[in-house]
């Protein structure tokens, strides 16, 4: 197996810089659409064979150094008892938003094998199929990010209802976040037991918070997850990605992760100075930069690789998920460029 990704997470020397992409198992690949044509999005998440097939596609087609499980961060709140729908143009919708004591009380902390067994089945299947290829990354949404979907009833532009709860009903907000946190700890432990070889916590909306509010309303819950995993003897690399979080790095470095994911709004060498020793960095090409002509794209890759030398360890990635409009050959060119330019 190619373990370059796992070594880089631990800050060990590697022959080249490993690379994978957020949302790499997805809509930019024609092969993904072939599988997707047979299922709704949620059906695909719940069908281990389909989830495994699209998880492996970018490994074989693009040449990435790690696979990330095809699933969605919102399967956890659904398992907690919040009905979930996906609409083609609106994205995820929670038709029964969680905004009062009764709604929070109704949510359960689910047994992951019972309610999310299809995720564990996909992981077990993938470990067999990836045995001679690359490691498998499992993941979950960070509690603040999950809470925004539950409170807003879907995605939001200004997160008014979430912040209203934070500021005017902090006890209720805390109860909601506690339940999400406990559910996420159990879920990630189950992923490792099923065979996940690294875990990423996605805090997709952390960047909408002022640093003070991030420190009070988001970071403590993410920190609790990483501490609980380490206290339970989980030894796989742990990654924390706070999107739009360049202003939050000073705090994010205390979360307890082995790796911090970076968006494209900061240079990696600057991030390395803020984060200091002992934590690897992951990132951080702007996904739209994949549209550049090959020579210019290669320049961007070379610059990020050079900056990445300042980090304790560096995993090349995009600064957020790959976009559906990106031609697959551009993604493949980027991966090949990372490998070629970074080879020692």
């Amino acid at each position: 197996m190619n373990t370059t990704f796992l070594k880089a997470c631990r800050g060990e020397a590697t022959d080249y810089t490993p690379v994978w992409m957020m949302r790499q198992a997805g809509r930019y690949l024609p092969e993904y659409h072939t599988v997707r044509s047979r299922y709704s999005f949620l059906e695909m998440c719940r069908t281990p064979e389909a989830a495994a097939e699209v998880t492996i596609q970018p490994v074989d087609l693009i040449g990435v150094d790690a696979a990330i499980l095809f699933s969605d961060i919102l399967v956890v709140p659904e398992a907690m008892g919040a009905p979930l729908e996906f609409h083609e143009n609106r994205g995820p919708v929670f038709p029964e938003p969680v905004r009062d004591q009764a709604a929070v009380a109704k949510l359960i902390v689910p047994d992951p094998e019972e309610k999310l067994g299809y995720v564990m089945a996909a992981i077990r299947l993938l470990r067999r199929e990836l045995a001679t290829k690359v490691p498998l990354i499992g993941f979950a949404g960070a509690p603040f990010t999950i809470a925004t979907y539950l409170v807003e009833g879907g995605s939001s532009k200004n997160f008014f209802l979430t912040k209203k709860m934070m500021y005017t009903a902090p006890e209720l907000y805390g109860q909601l976040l506690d339940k999400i946190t406990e559910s996420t700890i159990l879920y990630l432990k189950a992923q490792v037991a099923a065979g996940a070889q690294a875990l990423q916590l996605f805090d997709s909306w952390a960047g909408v918070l002022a640093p003070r509010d991030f420190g009070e309303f988001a970071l403590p819950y993410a920190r609790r997850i990483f501490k609980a995993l380490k206290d339970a003897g989980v030894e796989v690399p742990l990654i924390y990605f706070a999107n739009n979080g360049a202003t939050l790095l000073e705090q994010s470095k205390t979360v307890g992760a082995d790796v911090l994911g970076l968006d494209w709004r900061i240079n990696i060498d600057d991030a390395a100075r803020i984060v200091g020793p002992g934590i690897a960095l992951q990132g951080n090409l702007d996904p739209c930069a994949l549209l550049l002509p090959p020579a210019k794209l290669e320049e961007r890759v070379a610059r990020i690789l050079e900056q990445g030398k300042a980090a304790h360890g560096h995993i090349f990635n995009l600064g957020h998920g790959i976009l559906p409009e990106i031609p697959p050959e551009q993604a493949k060119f980027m991966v090949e460029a990372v490998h070629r330019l970074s080879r020692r």
Side-chain angles (χ1 to χ4, degrees):
M1 178 189 279
N2 169 5
T3 58
T4 314
F5 162 75
L6 296 175
K7 286 179 179 171
C9 288
R10 295 190 290 259
E12 297 171 10
T14 56
D15 294 333
Y16 62 87
T17 300
V19 53
W20 68 277
M21 298 177 292
M22 290 181 275
R23 294 201 190 129
Q24 67 187 13
R27 294 177 294 168
Y28 70 106
L29 288 172
E31 293 81 359
Y32 167 90
H33 288 284
T34 303
V35 180
R36 176 76 166 79
S37 66
R38 305 197 297 268
Y39 305 92
S40 73
F41 178 76
L42 278 173
E43 283 170 349
M44 218 157 107
C45 291
R46 294 177 189 139
T47 308
E49 295 75 17
E53 185 176 350
V54 296
T55 298
I56 292 170
Q57 283 173 352
V59 176
D60 294 340
L61 298 167
I62 308 294
V64 289
D65 295 291
I68 183 161
L69 172 70
F70 176 82
S71 186
D72 194 272
I73 63 170
L74 299 181
V75 298
V76 170
E78 184 191 38
M80 293 173 70
L84 170 64
E85 300 168 3
F86 273 88
H87 296 266
E88 208 50 58
N89 297 319
R90 280 176 67 199
V93 173
F94 286 97
E96 299 172 21
V98 177
R99 294 175 190 162
D100 57 29
Q101 188 70 58
V104 172
K106 241 169 84 173
L107 295 174
I108 63 164
V109 175
D111 177 324
E113 283 291 351
E114 182 190 329
K115 296 282 188 183
L116 294 156
Y118 56 87
V119 175
M120 312 316 150
I123 290 172
R124 287 188 279 266
L125 182 57
L126 279 161
R127 279 303 305 275
R128 290 195 295 274
E129 297 196 11
L130 290 168
T132 59
K133 294 183 178 181
V134 297
L136 176 66
I137 305 167
F139 71 91
F144 170 75
T145 288
I146 298 298
T148 67
Y149 284 100
L150 285 173
V151 176
E152 304 289 337
S155 26
S156 170
K157 284 188 177 165
N158 57 19
F159 299 88
F160 175 78
L161 294 166
T162 307
K163 292 184 178 185
K164 180 183 174 187
M165 185 188 285
M166 278 166 30
Y167 294 147
T168 67
E171 284 187 14
L172 181 65
Y173 176 86
Q175 289 169 26
L176 172 60
L177 273 279
D178 283 343
K179 277 192 173 177
I180 297 169
T181 300
E182 289 310 309
S183 301
T184 306
I185 290 167
L186 293 175
Y187 180 53
L188 289 174
K189 282 182 182 174
Q191 287 190 32
V192 173
Q197 291 156 287
L199 296 172
Q200 177 154 316
L201 197 62
F202 283 89
D203 222 341
S204 308
W205 299 119
V208 306
L209 293 171
R212 175 178 176 169
D213 290 332
F214 174 72
E216 184 175 347
F217 295 110
L219 182 64
Y221 301 98
R223 194 183 276 144
R224 246 167 68 189
I225 290 170
F226 289 125
K227 183 178 187 308
L229 292 171
K230 289 188 173 176
D231 287 350
V234 168
E235 293 182 351
V236 306
L238 304 175
I239 307 167
Y240 179 66
F241 174 67
N243 184 36
N244 208 350
T247 56
L248 308 173
L249 272 176
E250 195 68 58
Q251 296 172 85
S252 294
K253 72 182 183 184
T254 69
V255 76
D258 305 294
V259 183
L260 290 180
L262 303 171
D263 64 35
W264 64 89
R265 299 169 181 92
I266 188 168
N267 292 327
I268 288 193
D269 49 356
D270 292 334
R273 280 191 286 277
I274 295 167
V275 169
I279 299 174
L281 296 177
Q282 178 175 277
N284 66 341
L285 184 75
D286 183 334
C288 290
L290 286 170
L291 295 169
L292 285 165
K296 289 197 176 294
L297 177 54
E298 187 161 316
E299 274 176 34
R300 296 281 181 113
V301 168
R303 185 155 179 259
I304 289 170
L305 288 171
E306 187 57 37
Q307 292 172 349
K309 290 176 183 174
H312 172 68
H314 179 214
I315 301 108
F316 198 101
N317 206 314
L318 303 178
H320 202 231
I322 186 168
L323 301 165
E325 298 82 4
I326 299 296
E329 60 271 17
Q330 289 288 97
K332 189 169 186 186
F333 176 85
M334 180 201 75
V335 169
E336 288 171 349
V338 171
H339 288 162
R340 174 167 42 82
L341 296 172
S342 65
R343 208 167 276 284
R344 288 170 189 268

